[in-house]
mmCIF file of all heavy atoms in Angstrom:
data_model
loop_
_atom_site.group_PDB
_atom_site.id
_atom_site.type_symbol
_atom_site.label_atom_id
_atom_site.label_comp_id
_atom_site.label_asym_id
_atom_site.label_seq_id
_atom_site.Cartn_x
_atom_site.Cartn_y
_atom_site.Cartn_z
ATOM 1 N N ARG Z 238 212.166 -30.569 147.970
ATOM 2 C CA ARG Z 238 213.203 -29.717 148.569
ATOM 3 C C ARG Z 238 214.170 -29.223 147.509
ATOM 4 O O ARG Z 238 214.431 -29.907 146.525
ATOM 5 C CB ARG Z 238 213.984 -30.498 149.633
ATOM 6 C CG ARG Z 238 213.139 -30.999 150.769
ATOM 7 C CD ARG Z 238 213.925 -31.850 151.768
ATOM 8 N NE ARG Z 238 214.567 -32.983 151.124
ATOM 9 C CZ ARG Z 238 215.889 -33.221 151.140
ATOM 10 N NH1 ARG Z 238 216.716 -32.418 151.767
ATOM 11 N NH2 ARG Z 238 216.388 -34.275 150.530
ATOM 12 N N PHE Z 239 214.720 -28.008 147.760
ATOM 13 C CA PHE Z 239 215.721 -27.413 146.880
ATOM 14 C C PHE Z 239 216.836 -26.829 147.733
ATOM 15 O O PHE Z 239 216.573 -26.218 148.770
ATOM 16 C CB PHE Z 239 215.112 -26.297 146.022
ATOM 17 C CG PHE Z 239 214.101 -26.807 145.043
ATOM 18 C CD1 PHE Z 239 212.761 -26.894 145.387
ATOM 19 C CD2 PHE Z 239 214.489 -27.227 143.792
ATOM 20 C CE1 PHE Z 239 211.835 -27.380 144.494
ATOM 21 C CE2 PHE Z 239 213.568 -27.717 142.889
ATOM 22 C CZ PHE Z 239 212.234 -27.797 143.248
ATOM 23 N N TYR Z 240 218.079 -27.022 147.287
ATOM 24 C CA TYR Z 240 219.214 -26.410 147.975
ATOM 25 C C TYR Z 240 219.176 -24.894 147.803
ATOM 26 O O TYR Z 240 218.432 -24.370 146.980
ATOM 27 C CB TYR Z 240 220.535 -26.972 147.436
ATOM 28 C CG TYR Z 240 220.732 -28.437 147.747
ATOM 29 C CD1 TYR Z 240 220.861 -29.358 146.713
ATOM 30 C CD2 TYR Z 240 220.783 -28.890 149.063
ATOM 31 C CE1 TYR Z 240 221.029 -30.714 146.994
ATOM 32 C CE2 TYR Z 240 220.949 -30.235 149.345
ATOM 33 C CZ TYR Z 240 221.073 -31.144 148.307
ATOM 34 O OH TYR Z 240 221.232 -32.475 148.585
ATOM 35 N N ALA Z 241 219.996 -24.215 148.564
ATOM 36 C CA ALA Z 241 220.022 -22.748 148.546
ATOM 37 C C ALA Z 241 220.327 -22.197 147.159
ATOM 38 O O ALA Z 241 219.863 -21.107 146.813
ATOM 39 C CB ALA Z 241 221.039 -22.228 149.556
ATOM 40 N N ASP Z 242 221.074 -22.934 146.342
ATOM 41 C CA ASP Z 242 221.398 -22.445 145.002
ATOM 42 C C ASP Z 242 220.303 -22.752 143.982
ATOM 43 O O ASP Z 242 220.423 -22.433 142.812
ATOM 44 C CB ASP Z 242 222.734 -23.005 144.519
ATOM 45 C CG ASP Z 242 222.705 -24.506 144.276
ATOM 46 O OD1 ASP Z 242 221.655 -25.155 144.522
ATOM 47 O OD2 ASP Z 242 223.737 -25.054 143.836
ATOM 48 N N GLY Z 243 219.213 -23.388 144.428
ATOM 49 C CA GLY Z 243 218.086 -23.669 143.546
ATOM 50 C C GLY Z 243 218.069 -25.054 142.934
ATOM 51 O O GLY Z 243 217.084 -25.429 142.312
ATOM 52 N N THR Z 244 219.128 -25.838 143.104
ATOM 53 C CA THR Z 244 219.123 -27.190 142.547
ATOM 54 C C THR Z 244 218.306 -28.121 143.435
ATOM 55 O O THR Z 244 218.226 -27.937 144.649
ATOM 56 C CB THR Z 244 220.550 -27.747 142.394
ATOM 57 O OG1 THR Z 244 221.199 -27.733 143.664
ATOM 58 C CG2 THR Z 244 221.344 -26.922 141.405
ATOM 59 N N ALA Z 245 217.699 -29.109 142.817
ATOM 60 C CA ALA Z 245 216.818 -30.028 143.544
ATOM 61 C C ALA Z 245 217.595 -30.841 144.565
ATOM 62 O O ALA Z 245 218.680 -31.339 144.280
ATOM 63 C CB ALA Z 245 216.111 -30.950 142.564
ATOM 64 N N ALA Z 246 217.037 -30.978 145.754
ATOM 65 C CA ALA Z 246 217.658 -31.764 146.813
ATOM 66 C C ALA Z 246 217.094 -33.178 146.847
ATOM 67 O O ALA Z 246 217.529 -34.005 147.633
ATOM 68 C CB ALA Z 246 217.449 -31.092 148.170
ATOM 69 N N GLY Z 247 216.141 -33.450 146.015
ATOM 70 C CA GLY Z 247 215.538 -34.770 145.949
ATOM 71 C C GLY Z 247 214.354 -34.738 145.008
ATOM 72 O O GLY Z 247 213.986 -33.684 144.488
ATOM 73 N N SER Z 248 213.750 -35.880 144.797
ATOM 74 C CA SER Z 248 212.593 -35.943 143.907
ATOM 75 C C SER Z 248 211.331 -35.563 144.681
ATOM 76 O O SER Z 248 211.314 -35.536 145.908
ATOM 77 C CB SER Z 248 212.460 -37.339 143.308
ATOM 78 O OG SER Z 248 212.327 -38.289 144.338
ATOM 79 N N GLU Z 249 210.272 -35.287 143.932
ATOM 80 C CA GLU Z 249 209.017 -34.937 144.590
ATOM 81 C C GLU Z 249 208.460 -36.150 145.323
ATOM 82 O O GLU Z 249 208.690 -37.289 144.936
ATOM 83 C CB GLU Z 249 208.004 -34.404 143.584
ATOM 84 C CG GLU Z 249 207.480 -35.436 142.612
ATOM 85 C CD GLU Z 249 206.454 -34.862 141.642
ATOM 86 O OE1 GLU Z 249 206.183 -33.652 141.672
ATOM 87 O OE2 GLU Z 249 205.925 -35.653 140.845
ATOM 88 N N THR Z 250 207.729 -35.872 146.405
ATOM 89 C CA THR Z 250 207.142 -36.920 147.215
ATOM 90 C C THR Z 250 205.660 -36.623 147.393
ATOM 91 O O THR Z 250 205.295 -35.512 147.775
ATOM 92 C CB THR Z 250 207.793 -36.946 148.617
ATOM 93 O OG1 THR Z 250 209.200 -37.057 148.470
ATOM 94 C CG2 THR Z 250 207.276 -38.087 149.446
ATOM 95 N N SER Z 251 204.805 -37.588 147.109
ATOM 96 C CA SER Z 251 203.383 -37.430 147.387
ATOM 97 C C SER Z 251 203.183 -37.665 148.876
ATOM 98 O O SER Z 251 203.495 -38.733 149.395
ATOM 99 C CB SER Z 251 202.566 -38.431 146.573
ATOM 100 O OG SER Z 251 201.202 -38.341 146.920
ATOM 101 N N VAL Z 252 202.698 -36.650 149.552
ATOM 102 C CA VAL Z 252 202.614 -36.759 151.011
ATOM 103 C C VAL Z 252 201.192 -36.841 151.531
ATOM 104 O O VAL Z 252 200.960 -37.401 152.597
ATOM 105 C CB VAL Z 252 203.348 -35.589 151.703
ATOM 106 C CG1 VAL Z 252 204.828 -35.652 151.437
ATOM 107 C CG2 VAL Z 252 202.796 -34.247 151.288
ATOM 108 N N LEU Z 253 200.231 -36.288 150.804
ATOM 109 C CA LEU Z 253 198.851 -36.284 151.285
ATOM 110 C C LEU Z 253 197.911 -36.541 150.120
ATOM 111 O O LEU Z 253 198.092 -35.981 149.046
ATOM 112 C CB LEU Z 253 198.499 -34.928 151.914
ATOM 113 C CG LEU Z 253 199.396 -34.442 153.047
ATOM 114 C CD1 LEU Z 253 199.136 -32.977 153.325
ATOM 115 C CD2 LEU Z 253 199.165 -35.270 154.289
ATOM 116 N N SER Z 254 196.905 -37.351 150.347
ATOM 117 C CA SER Z 254 195.889 -37.557 149.328
ATOM 118 C C SER Z 254 194.705 -36.665 149.663
ATOM 119 O O SER Z 254 193.980 -36.909 150.623
ATOM 120 C CB SER Z 254 195.451 -39.015 149.295
ATOM 121 O OG SER Z 254 194.467 -39.190 148.311
ATOM 122 N N ALA Z 255 194.546 -35.603 148.876
ATOM 123 C CA ALA Z 255 193.484 -34.643 149.134
ATOM 124 C C ALA Z 255 192.177 -35.046 148.475
ATOM 125 O O ALA Z 255 191.112 -34.643 148.895
ATOM 126 C CB ALA Z 255 193.908 -33.261 148.646
ATOM 127 N N GLY Z 256 192.267 -35.823 147.411
ATOM 128 C CA GLY Z 256 191.074 -36.342 146.768
ATOM 129 C C GLY Z 256 190.399 -35.393 145.795
ATOM 130 O O GLY Z 256 189.346 -35.709 145.281
ATOM 131 N N VAL Z 257 190.968 -34.228 145.548
ATOM 132 C CA VAL Z 257 190.336 -33.296 144.623
ATOM 133 C C VAL Z 257 191.383 -32.341 144.074
ATOM 134 O O VAL Z 257 192.314 -31.961 144.772
ATOM 135 C CB VAL Z 257 189.192 -32.511 145.313
ATOM 136 C CG1 VAL Z 257 189.718 -31.655 146.435
ATOM 137 C CG2 VAL Z 257 188.400 -31.705 144.308
ATOM 138 N N SER Z 258 191.234 -31.967 142.816
ATOM 139 C CA SER Z 258 192.164 -31.011 142.213
ATOM 140 C C SER Z 258 191.778 -29.592 142.604
ATOM 141 O O SER Z 258 190.629 -29.311 142.924
ATOM 142 C CB SER Z 258 192.136 -31.137 140.687
ATOM 143 O OG SER Z 258 192.657 -32.385 140.315
ATOM 144 N N GLY Z 259 192.744 -28.703 142.509
ATOM 145 C CA GLY Z 259 192.481 -27.286 142.756
ATOM 146 C C GLY Z 259 192.506 -26.882 144.211
ATOM 147 O O GLY Z 259 191.972 -25.849 144.585
ATOM 148 N N ILE Z 260 193.125 -27.682 145.048
ATOM 149 C CA ILE Z 260 193.149 -27.360 146.471
ATOM 150 C C ILE Z 260 194.154 -26.255 146.766
ATOM 151 O O ILE Z 260 195.026 -25.960 145.977
ATOM 152 C CB ILE Z 260 193.468 -28.595 147.332
ATOM 153 C CG1 ILE Z 260 194.867 -29.103 147.029
ATOM 154 C CG2 ILE Z 260 192.450 -29.675 147.127
ATOM 155 C CD1 ILE Z 260 195.344 -30.162 147.961
ATOM 156 N N LYS Z 261 193.990 -25.632 147.926
ATOM 157 C CA LYS Z 261 194.899 -24.591 148.383
ATOM 158 C C LYS Z 261 195.740 -25.142 149.518
ATOM 159 O O LYS Z 261 195.223 -25.817 150.407
ATOM 160 C CB LYS Z 261 194.127 -23.362 148.869
ATOM 161 C CG LYS Z 261 193.419 -22.612 147.752
ATOM 162 C CD LYS Z 261 192.201 -23.360 147.383
ATOM 163 C CE LYS Z 261 191.382 -22.715 146.282
ATOM 164 N NZ LYS Z 261 190.293 -23.604 145.886
ATOM 165 N N VAL Z 262 197.035 -24.844 149.509
ATOM 166 C CA VAL Z 262 197.975 -25.386 150.489
ATOM 167 C C VAL Z 262 198.690 -24.237 151.175
ATOM 168 O O VAL Z 262 199.000 -23.226 150.548
ATOM 169 C CB VAL Z 262 199.025 -26.300 149.797
ATOM 170 C CG1 VAL Z 262 199.962 -26.920 150.819
ATOM 171 C CG2 VAL Z 262 198.356 -27.366 148.963
ATOM 172 N N SER Z 263 198.971 -24.405 152.473
ATOM 173 C CA SER Z 263 199.809 -23.466 153.224
ATOM 174 C C SER Z 263 200.787 -24.297 154.040
ATOM 175 O O SER Z 263 200.449 -25.392 154.502
ATOM 176 C CB SER Z 263 198.955 -22.576 154.128
ATOM 177 O OG SER Z 263 199.746 -21.624 154.799
ATOM 178 N N MET Z 264 202.013 -23.792 154.230
ATOM 179 C CA MET Z 264 203.049 -24.566 154.911
ATOM 180 C C MET Z 264 203.950 -23.641 155.714
ATOM 181 O O MET Z 264 204.189 -22.503 155.330
ATOM 182 C CB MET Z 264 203.875 -25.317 153.863
ATOM 183 C CG MET Z 264 205.036 -26.115 154.434
ATOM 184 S SD MET Z 264 205.897 -27.125 153.187
ATOM 185 C CE MET Z 264 206.536 -25.909 152.072
ATOM 186 N N VAL Z 265 204.454 -24.142 156.854
ATOM 187 C CA VAL Z 265 205.438 -23.420 157.666
ATOM 188 C C VAL Z 265 206.523 -24.390 158.114
ATOM 189 O O VAL Z 265 206.302 -25.603 158.177
ATOM 190 C CB VAL Z 265 204.796 -22.761 158.918
ATOM 191 C CG1 VAL Z 265 203.793 -21.696 158.530
ATOM 192 C CG2 VAL Z 265 204.165 -23.801 159.831
ATOM 193 N N PHE Z 266 207.694 -23.840 158.422
ATOM 194 C CA PHE Z 266 208.778 -24.618 159.022
ATOM 195 C C PHE Z 266 208.661 -24.458 160.533
ATOM 196 O O PHE Z 266 208.492 -23.364 161.044
ATOM 197 C CB PHE Z 266 210.131 -24.103 158.526
ATOM 198 C CG PHE Z 266 211.309 -24.811 159.131
ATOM 199 C CD1 PHE Z 266 211.510 -26.161 158.901
ATOM 200 C CD2 PHE Z 266 212.211 -24.127 159.925
ATOM 201 C CE1 PHE Z 266 212.596 -26.825 159.456
ATOM 202 C CE2 PHE Z 266 213.306 -24.771 160.477
ATOM 203 C CZ PHE Z 266 213.496 -26.121 160.246
ATOM 204 N N ASN Z 267 208.753 -25.579 161.266
ATOM 205 C CA ASN Z 267 208.559 -25.533 162.710
ATOM 206 C C ASN Z 267 209.843 -25.750 163.509
ATOM 207 O O ASN Z 267 209.795 -25.955 164.712
ATOM 208 C CB ASN Z 267 207.500 -26.552 163.140
ATOM 209 C CG ASN Z 267 207.913 -27.979 162.834
ATOM 210 O OD1 ASN Z 267 209.092 -28.299 162.695
ATOM 211 N ND2 ASN Z 267 206.928 -28.860 162.711
ATOM 212 N N GLY Z 268 210.983 -25.725 162.871
ATOM 213 C CA GLY Z 268 212.254 -25.931 163.554
ATOM 214 C C GLY Z 268 212.818 -27.323 163.365
ATOM 215 O O GLY Z 268 214.030 -27.516 163.409
ATOM 216 N N SER Z 269 211.951 -28.318 163.152
ATOM 217 C CA SER Z 269 212.426 -29.687 162.941
ATOM 218 C C SER Z 269 211.719 -30.377 161.782
ATOM 219 O O SER Z 269 212.030 -31.508 161.454
ATOM 220 C CB SER Z 269 212.226 -30.512 164.218
ATOM 221 O OG SER Z 269 210.850 -30.584 164.538
ATOM 222 N N GLY Z 270 210.766 -29.710 161.192
ATOM 223 C CA GLY Z 270 209.995 -30.256 160.080
ATOM 224 C C GLY Z 270 209.033 -29.192 159.591
ATOM 225 O O GLY Z 270 209.302 -27.997 159.718
#
């Protein structure tokens, strides 16, 4: 996450183990997450 001014809001978090390099990711905000 990054604040509106571009500064980091926290450290990176590993959230999913995809098991392979070079994957493609897509993401949306749903109102609560």
Side-chain angles (χ1 to χ4, degrees):
R238 300 176 303 122
F239 294 90
Y240 294 119
D242 67 358
T244 57
S248 59
E249 69 179 3
T250 306
S251 176
V252 294
L253 304 166
S254 180
V257 63
S258 293
I260 64 171
K261 291 77 179 173
V262 183
S263 183
M264 177 174 63
V265 296
F266 178 64
N267 63 23
S269 62

